[in-house]
Structure formats: structure tokens, C-alpha cells
């Protein structure tokens, strides 16, 4: 019922751009994040954004990626510019959700979308 669905991944040449979207069902979302995991590597935090719009980024993507959210649509985006081969990974949406103000937050994960950057 409550889920995150990513879209927008694909194959792109180095220097190109992609825009990822994560559509979230539910009513109350706190911090929303993008993670990524490359083959043989641990999952890493790429960017996060609070409900008020304050964002932070991993050093490796600063100046190239932009995270944003539309609270009315319960959607978080990741605009990726100047892509590099090392950006190749499965990108996962992550969010804190609660059904009401009297509930604790529960952390949710999407199933991921593949981003492949060729050189």
C-alpha cells in the first residue's frame, strides 16, 4: 500500500543528463533520499532533502546533481548532469513515512532504477 516507485533511469553517454523520479504513496513524508549501489560496492547516500526543502549531497556529486521534491505530489526528483562512468549504479529512493502525527516514522525503500553511463 505504502510504497516508493522510481523511474527515469537508463543508458547515457558521459557528460549527458538524466532525471530520476520517485513517486511515493502515503500522506506524511519526512526526509527523502537517493542512494546508489554500484557492483561490488556498498550502498551510498547520494542526496537527501527535508520536508522544508533543505538539501545535502555527497561530495562526489556536488555541483552536478540536484535533489528536489514536490510535497503536493509526494514525489522526489534527482536531476543528474555531467554524468561520469563512475556514476553507474542502481539508484534507490528512500523515505521516512508515517500514516499520522501519532505514529512513528517508518523507513521505506524503492526497488531501484538502473543508471548506466558509458565512456
Amino acid at each position: 500500500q505504502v510504497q516508493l516507485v522510481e523511474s527515469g533511469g537508463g543508458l547515457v553517454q558521459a557528460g549527458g543528463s538524466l532525471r530520476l523520479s520517485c513517486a511515493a504513496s502515503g500522506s506524511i513524508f519526512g526526509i527523502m533520499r537517493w542512494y546508489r549501489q554500484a557492483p561490488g560496492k556498498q550502498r551510498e547516500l547520494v542526496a537527501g532533502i527535508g520536508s522544508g526543502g533543505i538539501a545535502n549531497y555527497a561530495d562526489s556529486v556536488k555541483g552536478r546533481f540536484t535533489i528536489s521534491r514536490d510535497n503536493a505530489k509526494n514525489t522526489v526528483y534527482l536531476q543528474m548532469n555531467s554524468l561520469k562512468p563512475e556514476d553507474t549504479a542502481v539508484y534507490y529512493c528512500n523515505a521516512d513515512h508515517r500514516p499520522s502525527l501519532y505514529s512513528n516514522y517508518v523507513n521505506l525503500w524503492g526497488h531501484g532504477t538502473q543508471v548506466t553511463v558509458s565512456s
Side-chain angles (χ1 to χ4, degrees):
Q1 181 181 358
V2 180
Q3 60 182 16
L4 307 176
V5 181
E6 303 98 332
S7 62
L11 176 64
V12 65
Q13 292 183 326
S17 298
L18 285 173
R19 185 176 186 249
L20 306 183
S21 298
C22 174
S25 63
S27 59
I28 303 176
F29 288 88
I31 298 173
M32 304 185 79
R33 310 170 182 88
W34 286 98
Y35 285 79
R36 68 185 181 187
Q37 187 166 25
K41 295 186 177 181
Q42 293 185 334
R43 189 170 299 185
E44 65 172 341
L45 177 64
V46 176
I49 185 168
S51 60
I54 298 176
N56 51 58
Y57 302 89
D59 289 340
S60 59
V61 306
K62 285 182 178 178
R64 300 188 298 120
F65 291 10
T66 302
I67 188 171
S68 61
R69 65 189 288 169
D70 186 335
N71 291 331
K73 297 181 179 179
N74 287 334
T75 301
V76 62
Y77 306 93
L78 186 68
Q79 178 66 46
M80 305 184 294
N81 299 325
S82 301
L83 284 163
K84 305 174 181 179
E86 49 263 45
D87 294 319
T88 296
V90 176
Y91 284 71
Y92 297 90
C93 183
N94 174 272
D96 294 328
H97 171 266
R98 59 181 178 179
S100 75
L101 295 175
Y102 300 97
S103 302
N104 292 325
Y105 277 110
V106 175
N107 193 246
L108 303 175
W109 289 92
H111 293 297
T113 184
Q114 177 70 49
V115 172
T116 302
V117 184
S118 62
S119 60

Coordinates of all heavy atoms in Angstrom, one line a residue, residues 7-99:
S7 N 11.7 5.9 -11.3 CA 11.6 5.9 -12.8 C 12.7 6.9 -13.3 O 13.2 7.7 -12.6 CB 10.2 6.2 -13.3 OG 9.8 7.5 -13.0
G8 N 13.0 6.8 -14.6 CA 13.9 7.7 -15.2 C 15.3 7.3 -15.5 O 16.1 8.0 -16.1
G9 N 15.6 6.1 -15.0 CA 17.0 5.5 -15.3 C 17.1 5.1 -16.7 O 16.2 5.1 -17.5
G10 N 18.4 4.8 -17.1 CA 18.6 4.4 -18.5 C 20.1 4.5 -18.8 O 20.9 4.6 -17.9
L11 N 20.4 4.4 -20.1 CA 21.8 4.4 -20.6 C 22.1 5.8 -21.2 O 21.3 6.3 -22.0 CB 21.9 3.4 -21.7 CG 23.3 3.3 -22.4 CD1 24.4 3.0 -21.4 CD2 23.2 2.3 -23.5
V12 N 23.2 6.4 -20.8 CA 23.5 7.7 -21.3 C 25.1 7.8 -21.4 O 25.8 7.1 -20.7 CB 23.0 8.8 -20.3 CG1 23.7 8.7 -18.9 CG2 23.2 10.2 -20.9
Q13 N 25.5 8.6 -22.4 CA 27.0 8.8 -22.6 C 27.5 9.8 -21.5 O 26.8 10.6 -21.0 CB 27.2 9.4 -24.0 CG 27.0 8.4 -25.1 CD 27.3 9.0 -26.4 OE1 27.2 10.2 -26.7 NE2 27.8 8.1 -27.3
A14 N 28.8 9.7 -21.2 CA 29.5 10.6 -20.3 C 29.2 12.0 -20.7 O 29.3 12.4 -21.9 CB 31.0 10.3 -20.2
G15 N 28.9 12.8 -19.7 CA 28.6 14.2 -20.0 C 27.1 14.5 -20.2 O 26.7 15.7 -20.2
G16 N 26.3 13.5 -20.3 CA 24.9 13.6 -20.5 C 24.2 13.8 -19.2 O 24.8 13.9 -18.1
S17 N 22.8 13.8 -19.3 CA 22.0 14.1 -18.2 C 20.8 13.1 -18.1 O 20.4 12.5 -19.1 CB 21.4 15.5 -18.2 OG 22.4 16.5 -18.2
L18 N 20.4 12.9 -16.9 CA 19.2 12.1 -16.6 C 18.4 12.7 -15.5 O 19.0 13.3 -14.6 CB 19.5 10.6 -16.3 CG 19.9 9.7 -17.4 CD1 20.4 8.3 -16.8 CD2 18.8 9.5 -18.4
R19 N 17.1 12.5 -15.4 CA 16.3 13.0 -14.3 C 15.5 11.8 -13.7 O 14.7 11.2 -14.4 CB 15.3 14.1 -14.8 CG 14.5 14.7 -13.7 CD 13.6 15.8 -14.2 NE 12.9 16.6 -13.2 CZ 11.6 16.6 -13.1 NH1 10.8 15.8 -13.9 NH2 11.0 17.3 -12.1
L20 N 15.8 11.5 -12.5 CA 15.1 10.4 -11.8 C 13.9 10.9 -11.0 O 14.0 12.0 -10.5 CB 16.1 9.7 -10.9 CG 17.4 9.1 -11.4 CD1 18.1 8.4 -10.3 CD2 17.1 8.2 -12.6
S21 N 12.9 10.1 -11.0 CA 11.7 10.5 -10.2 C 11.4 9.4 -9.3 O 11.6 8.2 -9.6 CB 10.5 10.7 -11.1 OG 10.7 11.8 -12.0
C22 N 10.8 9.7 -8.1 CA 10.3 8.7 -7.2 C 9.0 9.1 -6.7 O 8.8 10.2 -6.0 CB 11.3 8.6 -6.0 SG 10.7 7.6 -4.6
A23 N 8.0 8.4 -7.1 CA 6.6 8.7 -6.7 C 6.3 7.9 -5.4 O 6.4 6.6 -5.4 CB 5.6 8.3 -7.8
A24 N 5.8 8.6 -4.4 CA 5.6 8.0 -3.1 C 4.1 8.0 -2.8 O 3.5 9.0 -2.8 CB 6.4 8.7 -2.0
S25 N 3.6 6.8 -2.4 CA 2.2 6.8 -1.9 C 2.2 7.1 -0.4 O 3.3 7.0 0.3 CB 1.6 5.4 -2.2 OG 2.3 4.4 -1.5
G26 N 1.1 7.4 0.2 CA 1.0 7.8 1.6 C 0.8 9.3 1.8 O 0.7 10.0 0.8
S27 N 0.7 9.7 3.0 CA 0.3 11.1 3.3 C 1.4 11.9 3.9 O 1.5 13.1 3.6 CB -0.9 11.1 4.2 OG -0.7 10.4 5.4
I28 N 2.2 11.4 4.9 CA 3.1 12.2 5.6 C 4.5 11.6 5.4 O 4.9 10.5 5.9 CB 2.8 12.2 7.1 CG1 1.4 12.7 7.3 CG2 3.8 13.0 7.9 CD1 0.9 12.7 8.8
F29 N 5.4 12.4 4.7 CA 6.8 12.0 4.5 C 7.7 13.0 5.1 O 7.5 14.2 4.9 CB 7.0 11.9 3.0 CG 6.4 10.7 2.4 CD1 5.1 10.8 1.9 CD2 7.1 9.5 2.3 CE1 4.5 9.6 1.3 CE2 6.5 8.4 1.7 CZ 5.2 8.5 1.2
G30 N 8.7 12.5 5.7 CA 9.8 13.4 6.3 C 10.9 13.5 5.3 O 10.7 13.9 4.1
I31 N 12.1 13.2 5.7 CA 13.3 13.3 4.8 C 13.2 12.2 3.7 O 12.8 11.1 4.0 CB 14.6 13.0 5.6 CG1 14.8 14.1 6.7 CG2 15.8 13.0 4.7 CD1 15.9 13.9 7.6
M32 N 13.5 12.7 2.5 CA 13.5 11.8 1.4 C 14.9 11.8 0.8 O 15.6 12.8 0.8 CB 12.5 12.2 0.3 CG 11.1 12.3 0.8 SD 9.8 12.6 -0.4 CE 9.6 11.0 -1.2
R33 N 15.4 10.6 0.3 CA 16.8 10.5 0.0 C 17.0 9.7 -1.3 O 16.1 8.9 -1.7 CB 17.6 9.8 1.1 CG 17.4 10.3 2.5 CD 18.1 9.4 3.5 NE 17.9 9.9 4.9 CZ 16.8 9.6 5.6 NH1 15.8 8.9 5.2 NH2 16.7 10.1 6.8
W34 N 18.1 9.9 -2.0 CA 18.5 9.0 -3.0 C 19.8 8.3 -2.6 O 20.8 9.0 -2.2 CB 18.8 9.8 -4.3 CG 17.5 10.2 -5.0 CD1 16.9 11.4 -5.0 CD2 16.7 9.4 -5.9 NE1 15.8 11.4 -5.7 CE2 15.6 10.2 -6.3 CE3 16.8 8.1 -6.3 CZ2 14.6 9.7 -7.2 CZ3 15.8 7.6 -7.2 CH2 14.7 8.4 -7.6
Y35 N 19.9 7.0 -2.8 CA 21.0 6.2 -2.6 C 21.4 5.6 -3.9 O 20.6 5.5 -4.8 CB 20.8 5.1 -1.6 CG 20.8 5.5 -0.1 CD1 19.6 6.1 0.4 CD2 21.9 5.2 0.7 CE1 19.6 6.4 1.8 CE2 21.8 5.6 2.1 CZ 20.7 6.2 2.6 OH 20.6 6.5 3.9
R36 N 22.6 5.1 -4.0 CA 23.0 4.3 -5.1 C 24.0 3.2 -4.7 O 24.7 3.2 -3.7 CB 23.7 5.2 -6.2 CG 25.1 5.7 -5.8 CD 25.6 6.7 -6.9 NE 26.9 7.2 -6.6 CZ 27.5 8.2 -7.3 NH1 26.9 8.7 -8.4 NH2 28.7 8.7 -6.9
Q37 N 24.0 2.1 -5.5 CA 24.9 1.0 -5.3 C 25.4 0.5 -6.6 O 24.7 0.0 -7.5 CB 24.1 -0.1 -4.5 CG 25.0 -1.3 -4.1 CD 24.3 -2.2 -3.1 OE1 23.1 -2.3 -3.1 NE2 25.1 -2.8 -2.3
A38 N 26.8 0.5 -6.7 CA 27.4 0.0 -7.9 C 27.9 -1.4 -7.6 O 28.0 -1.8 -6.4 CB 28.7 0.9 -8.2
P39 N 28.1 -2.2 -8.6 CA 28.5 -3.6 -8.5 C 29.8 -3.7 -7.6 O 30.7 -3.0 -7.8 CB 28.8 -4.1 -9.9 CG 27.9 -3.2 -10.7 CD 27.9 -1.9 -10.1
G40 N 29.7 -4.6 -6.6 CA 30.8 -4.8 -5.7 C 31.1 -3.8 -4.7 O 32.1 -3.8 -3.9
K41 N 30.2 -2.8 -4.6 CA 30.4 -1.7 -3.6 C 29.2 -1.6 -2.7 O 28.1 -2.1 -3.0 CB 30.5 -0.3 -4.4 CG 31.8 -0.2 -5.2 CD 32.0 1.2 -5.7 CE 33.3 1.3 -6.5 NZ 33.4 2.7 -7.0
Q42 N 29.4 -0.9 -1.6 CA 28.3 -0.7 -0.6 C 27.4 0.4 -1.1 O 27.8 1.2 -1.9 CB 28.9 -0.3 0.8 CG 29.7 -1.4 1.5 CD 30.1 -1.0 2.9 OE1 30.3 0.2 3.2 NE2 30.3 -2.0 3.7
R43 N 26.2 0.3 -0.6 CA 25.2 1.3 -0.9 C 25.6 2.7 -0.3 O 26.0 2.7 0.9 CB 23.8 0.9 -0.5 CG 22.7 1.8 -1.0 CD 21.3 1.2 -0.7 NE 21.2 -0.1 -1.3 CZ 20.0 -0.8 -1.3 NH1 19.0 -0.3 -0.7 NH2 20.0 -1.9 -1.9
E44 N 25.6 3.7 -1.0 CA 26.0 5.0 -0.5 C 24.9 6.1 -0.7 O 24.1 6.0 -1.6 CB 27.3 5.5 -1.2 CG 27.1 5.8 -2.7 CD 28.3 6.5 -3.3 OE1 29.1 7.0 -2.5 OE2 28.5 6.4 -4.5
L45 N 24.9 7.0 0.3 CA 23.9 8.1 0.2 C 24.4 9.1 -0.8 O 25.5 9.6 -0.8 CB 23.8 8.8 1.6 CG 22.9 10.0 1.7 CD1 21.4 9.6 1.4 CD2 23.0 10.6 3.1
V46 N 23.5 9.5 -1.8 CA 23.8 10.4 -2.8 C 23.3 11.8 -2.4 O 24.1 12.8 -2.5 CB 23.2 10.0 -4.2 CG1 23.4 11.1 -5.2 CG2 23.8 8.7 -4.6
A47 N 22.1 11.9 -2.0 CA 21.5 13.2 -1.6 C 20.3 13.0 -0.8 O 19.6 12.0 -0.8 CB 21.1 14.0 -2.9
G48 N 20.0 14.0 0.0 CA 18.8 14.0 0.9 C 18.1 15.3 0.9 O 18.8 16.4 0.7
I49 N 16.8 15.4 1.2 CA 16.1 16.6 1.2 C 15.0 16.5 2.3 O 14.3 15.5 2.3 CB 15.5 17.0 -0.1 CG1 14.9 18.4 -0.1 CG2 14.6 15.9 -0.7 CD1 14.6 18.9 -1.5
G50 N 14.9 17.5 3.2 CA 13.9 17.6 4.2 C 12.6 18.1 3.6 O 12.5 18.6 2.5
S51 N 11.5 18.0 4.5 CA 10.2 18.5 4.0 C 10.2 20.0 3.7 O 9.4 20.4 3.0 CB 9.2 18.1 5.1 OG 9.5 18.7 6.3
G52 N 11.1 20.7 4.4 CA 11.2 22.1 4.1 C 12.1 22.5 3.0 O 12.2 23.7 2.6
G53 N 12.7 21.6 2.3 CA 13.5 21.8 1.1 C 15.0 21.9 1.3 O 15.7 22.2 0.4
I54 N 15.5 21.8 2.5 CA 16.9 21.8 2.8 C 17.5 20.5 2.3 O 17.1 19.4 2.6 CB 17.2 22.0 4.3 CG1 16.6 23.3 4.8 CG2 18.7 22.0 4.5 CD1 16.8 23.6 6.2
A55 N 18.6 20.7 1.5 CA 19.2 19.5 0.8 C 20.7 19.4 1.1 O 21.3 20.4 1.5 CB 19.0 19.7 -0.7
N56 N 21.2 18.2 1.0 CA 22.6 18.0 1.2 C 23.0 16.9 0.2 O 22.2 16.1 -0.3 CB 23.0 17.6 2.6 CG 22.2 16.5 3.2 OD1 22.1 15.4 2.7 ND2 21.6 16.8 4.3
Y57 N 24.3 16.8 -0.1 CA 24.8 16.0 -1.2 C 26.1 15.3 -0.8 O 26.9 15.9 0.0 CB 25.1 16.8 -2.5 CG 23.8 17.5 -3.0 CD1 23.5 18.8 -2.6 CD2 23.0 16.9 -3.9 CE1 22.4 19.4 -3.1 CE2 21.9 17.5 -4.4 CZ 21.6 18.8 -4.0 OH 20.5 19.5 -4.5
A58 N 26.4 14.2 -1.4 CA 27.7 13.6 -1.3 C 28.7 14.4 -2.1 O 28.3 15.0 -3.1 CB 27.7 12.1 -1.9
D59 N 29.9 14.5 -1.6 CA 30.9 15.3 -2.2 C 31.1 14.9 -3.7 O 31.4 15.8 -4.5 CB 32.3 15.2 -1.5 CG 32.2 15.9 -0.1 OD1 31.4 16.7 0.1 OD2 33.1 15.5 0.7
S60 N 31.0 13.7 -4.0 CA 31.2 13.2 -5.4 C 30.2 13.8 -6.4 O 30.5 13.7 -7.6 CB 31.2 11.7 -5.4 OG 30.0 11.2 -5.0
V61 N 29.0 14.3 -5.9 CA 28.0 14.7 -6.9 C 27.7 16.2 -6.7 O 26.9 16.7 -7.5 CB 26.7 13.9 -6.7 CG1 27.0 12.4 -6.9 CG2 26.0 14.2 -5.4
K62 N 28.3 16.9 -5.8 CA 28.1 18.3 -5.6 C 28.4 19.1 -6.9 O 29.4 18.9 -7.5 CB 28.9 18.8 -4.4 CG 28.4 18.4 -3.1 CD 29.2 19.1 -1.9 CE 28.6 18.7 -0.6 NZ 29.5 19.2 0.5
G63 N 27.5 20.0 -7.2 CA 27.7 20.8 -8.4 C 27.2 20.1 -9.7 O 27.0 20.8 -10.7
R64 N 26.9 18.8 -9.6 CA 26.4 18.1 -10.8 C 24.9 17.6 -10.6 O 24.2 17.6 -11.6 CB 27.3 16.9 -11.1 CG 28.7 17.3 -11.4 CD 29.5 16.1 -11.9 NE 29.6 15.0 -10.9 CZ 29.1 13.8 -11.1 NH1 28.6 13.4 -12.2 NH2 29.2 12.9 -10.1
F65 N 24.6 17.2 -9.4 CA 23.2 16.6 -9.1 C 22.4 17.6 -8.3 O 23.0 18.4 -7.5 CB 23.3 15.3 -8.3 CG 23.9 14.2 -9.0 CD1 24.5 14.3 -10.3 CD2 23.9 12.9 -8.5 CE1 25.0 13.2 -11.0 CE2 24.4 11.8 -9.1 CZ 25.0 12.0 -10.4
T66 N 21.1 17.6 -8.5 CA 20.2 18.5 -7.7 C 19.0 17.6 -7.3 O 18.3 17.0 -8.1 CB 19.7 19.7 -8.6 OG1 20.8 20.4 -9.0 CG2 18.8 20.5 -7.7
I67 N 18.8 17.6 -6.0 CA 17.6 16.9 -5.5 C 16.5 17.9 -5.2 O 16.8 19.1 -4.8 CB 17.9 16.1 -4.2 CG1 16.8 15.2 -3.8 CG2 18.4 17.0 -3.1 CD1 17.1 14.3 -2.6
S68 N 15.3 17.6 -5.5 CA 14.1 18.4 -5.2 C 12.9 17.6 -4.9 O 12.9 16.4 -5.1 CB 13.8 19.4 -6.4 OG 13.5 18.6 -7.6
R69 N 11.9 18.2 -4.4 CA 10.7 17.5 -4.1 C 9.4 18.3 -4.3 O 9.5 19.5 -4.2 CB 10.7 16.9 -2.6 CG 10.7 18.0 -1.5 CD 11.0 17.4 -0.2 NE 9.8 16.6 0.4 CZ 9.9 15.8 1.4 NH1 11.0 15.7 2.1 NH2 8.8 15.2 1.8
D70 N 8.3 17.7 -4.6 CA 7.0 18.3 -4.7 C 6.1 17.6 -3.7 O 5.7 16.5 -3.9 CB 6.5 18.1 -6.1 CG 5.2 18.8 -6.4 OD1 4.5 19.1 -5.4 OD2 4.9 19.1 -7.6
N71 N 5.9 18.3 -2.6 CA 5.1 17.7 -1.5 C 3.7 17.4 -1.9 O 3.1 16.5 -1.4 CB 5.2 18.6 -0.3 CG 6.6 18.7 0.4 OD1 7.4 17.7 0.3 ND2 6.9 19.8 1.0
A72 N 3.1 18.3 -2.8 CA 1.8 18.1 -3.2 C 1.6 16.8 -4.0 O 0.5 16.1 -3.9 CB 1.3 19.2 -4.0
K73 N 2.6 16.4 -4.7 CA 2.6 15.2 -5.5 C 3.3 14.0 -4.8 O 3.3 12.9 -5.3 CB 3.3 15.4 -6.8 CG 2.6 16.4 -7.7 CD 3.3 16.6 -9.0 CE 2.6 17.6 -9.9 NZ 3.3 17.8 -11.2
N74 N 3.9 14.2 -3.6 CA 4.6 13.2 -2.9 C 5.7 12.6 -3.8 O 5.8 11.3 -3.9 CB 3.7 12.1 -2.4 CG 2.9 12.5 -1.2 OD1 3.3 13.4 -0.4 ND2 1.7 11.9 -1.0
T75 N 6.4 13.4 -4.5 CA 7.4 13.0 -5.4 C 8.8 13.7 -5.2 O 8.8 14.9 -4.9 CB 7.0 13.3 -6.9 OG1 5.8 12.6 -7.1 CG2 8.0 12.8 -7.9
V76 N 9.9 12.9 -5.2 CA 11.2 13.5 -5.1 C 11.9 13.2 -6.4 O 11.7 12.2 -7.0 CB 11.9 12.8 -3.9 CG1 12.1 11.3 -4.0 CG2 13.3 13.5 -3.7
Y77 N 12.8 14.2 -6.8 CA 13.5 14.1 -8.1 C 15.0 14.2 -7.8 O 15.5 14.7 -6.9 CB 13.1 15.2 -9.0 CG 11.6 15.4 -9.2 CD1 10.8 16.2 -8.4 CD2 11.0 14.6 -10.2 CE1 9.4 16.3 -8.6 CE2 9.6 14.8 -10.5 CZ 8.9 15.6 -9.7 OH 7.5 15.7 -9.9
L78 N 15.7 13.6 -8.8 CA 17.2 13.8 -8.8 C 17.6 14.1 -10.2 O 17.6 13.3 -11.1 CB 17.9 12.5 -8.3 CG 19.4 12.6 -8.2 CD1 19.8 13.6 -7.0 CD2 20.0 11.3 -8.0
Q79 N 18.0 15.4 -10.4 CA 18.5 15.8 -11.7 C 20.0 15.6 -11.7 O 20.7 16.1 -10.9 CB 18.2 17.3 -11.9 CG 18.7 17.9 -13.2 CD 18.1 17.3 -14.5 OE1 16.8 17.2 -14.5 NE2 18.9 16.9 -15.4
M80 N 20.4 14.8 -12.7 CA 21.8 14.4 -12.8 C 22.4 15.0 -14.1 O 22.0 14.6 -15.2 CB 22.0 12.9 -12.7 CG 21.3 12.3 -11.5 SD 21.6 10.5 -11.4 CE 20.7 9.9 -12.9
N81 N 23.4 15.9 -13.9 CA 24.1 16.5 -15.1 C 25.5 16.1 -15.1 O 26.1 15.7 -14.1 CB 23.9 18.0 -15.0 CG 22.5 18.5 -15.1 OD1 21.7 17.9 -15.8 ND2 22.2 19.6 -14.4
S82 N 26.2 16.3 -16.2 CA 27.6 16.0 -16.3 C 28.0 14.6 -15.8 O 28.9 14.4 -15.0 CB 28.5 17.0 -15.6 OG 28.2 18.3 -16.1
L83 N 27.2 13.6 -16.2 CA 27.3 12.3 -15.7 C 28.7 11.7 -16.1 O 29.2 11.9 -17.2 CB 26.2 11.4 -16.2 CG 24.9 11.6 -15.5 CD1 23.7 11.0 -16.3 CD2 24.9 11.0 -14.1
K84 N 29.2 10.9 -15.2 CA 30.5 10.2 -15.4 C 30.3 8.7 -15.3 O 29.3 8.2 -14.7 CB 31.5 10.6 -14.3 CG 31.7 12.1 -14.1 CD 32.6 12.4 -12.9 CE 32.8 13.9 -12.8 NZ 33.6 14.2 -11.6
P85 N 31.2 7.9 -15.9 CA 31.1 6.4 -15.8 C 31.0 5.9 -14.4 O 30.3 5.0 -14.1 CB 32.4 6.0 -16.5 CG 32.7 7.0 -17.5 CD 32.3 8.3 -16.8
E86 N 31.7 6.6 -13.4 CA 31.6 6.2 -12.0 C 30.3 6.4 -11.4 O 30.1 6.0 -10.2 CB 32.8 6.9 -11.2 CG 32.9 8.4 -11.4 CD 33.9 8.7 -12.4 OE1 33.9 8.1 -13.5 OE2 34.7 9.7 -12.2
D87 N 29.4 7.1 -12.1 CA 28.0 7.3 -11.6 C 27.1 6.1 -11.8 O 26.0 6.0 -11.4 CB 27.4 8.5 -12.2 CG 28.0 9.8 -11.7 OD1 28.4 10.0 -10.6 OD2 28.2 10.7 -12.6
T88 N 27.6 5.2 -12.6 CA 26.9 4.0 -13.0 C 26.5 3.2 -11.7 O 27.4 2.8 -10.9 CB 27.7 3.1 -13.9 OG1 27.9 3.8 -15.2 CG2 26.9 1.8 -14.2
A89 N 25.3 2.9 -11.5 CA 24.8 2.2 -10.3 C 23.3 2.0 -10.4 O 22.6 2.6 -11.3 CB 25.1 3.0 -9.0
V90 N 22.8 1.2 -9.5 CA 21.3 1.2 -9.3 C 21.0 2.3 -8.2 O 21.6 2.4 -7.2 CB 20.8 -0.2 -8.7 CG1 19.4 -0.1 -8.4 CG2 21.2 -1.3 -9.8
Y91 N 20.1 3.1 -8.6 CA 19.7 4.3 -7.7 C 18.4 3.9 -7.0 O 17.4 3.5 -7.6 CB 19.5 5.5 -8.5 CG 20.9 6.2 -8.9 CD1 21.7 5.5 -9.9 CD2 21.3 7.3 -8.3 CE1 22.9 6.1 -10.2 CE2 22.5 7.9 -8.6 CZ 23.3 7.3 -9.6 OH 24.6 7.8 -9.9
Y92 N 18.4 4.1 -5.7 CA 17.2 3.8 -4.9 C 16.7 5.0 -4.2 O 17.4 5.8 -3.7 CB 17.6 2.8 -3.8 CG 18.1 1.4 -4.3 CD1 19.5 1.2 -4.5 CD2 17.3 0.4 -4.5 CE1 19.9 0.0 -5.0 CE2 17.7 -0.8 -4.9 CZ 19.0 -1.0 -5.2 OH 19.5 -2.2 -5.6
C93 N 15.4 5.1 -4.2 CA 14.7 6.1 -3.4 C 14.4 5.6 -2.0 O 14.2 4.4 -1.8 CB 13.3 6.4 -4.1 SG 12.4 7.7 -3.3
N94 N 14.6 6.5 -1.0 CA 14.4 6.2 0.4 C 13.7 7.3 1.1 O 13.9 8.5 0.8 CB 15.8 5.9 1.0 CG 15.7 5.7 2.5 OD1 15.7 6.7 3.3 ND2 15.6 4.5 2.9
A95 N 12.7 7.0 2.0 CA 11.9 8.0 2.6 C 11.5 7.6 4.0 O 11.2 6.4 4.2 CB 10.8 8.4 1.8
D96 N 11.3 8.5 4.9 CA 10.7 8.3 6.2 C 9.2 8.6 6.0 O 8.8 9.7 5.6 CB 11.3 9.2 7.3 CG 12.7 8.8 7.5 OD1 13.1 7.6 7.4 OD2 13.5 9.7 7.9
H97 N 8.3 7.7 6.5 CA 6.9 7.9 6.3 C 6.2 7.5 7.6 O 6.6 6.6 8.4 CB 6.4 7.0 5.2 CG 4.9 7.0 5.1 ND1 4.1 6.0 5.7 CD2 4.0 7.8 4.5 CE1 2.9 6.2 5.5 NE2 2.7 7.3 4.8
R98 N 5.1 8.3 7.9 CA 4.2 7.9 9.0 C 2.7 8.2 8.5 O 2.5 9.2 7.9 CB 4.5 8.6 10.3 CG 4.5 10.2 10.2 CD 4.8 10.8 11.5 NE 4.9 12.2 11.5 CZ 5.1 13.0 12.5 NH1 5.4 12.4 13.7 NH2 5.1 14.3 12.4
P99 N 1.8 7.3 8.9 CA 0.4 7.5 8.5 C -0.3 8.6 9.2 O -1.3 9.1 8.7 CB -0.2 6.1 8.8 CG 0.6 5.5 9.9 CD 2.0 6.0 9.6

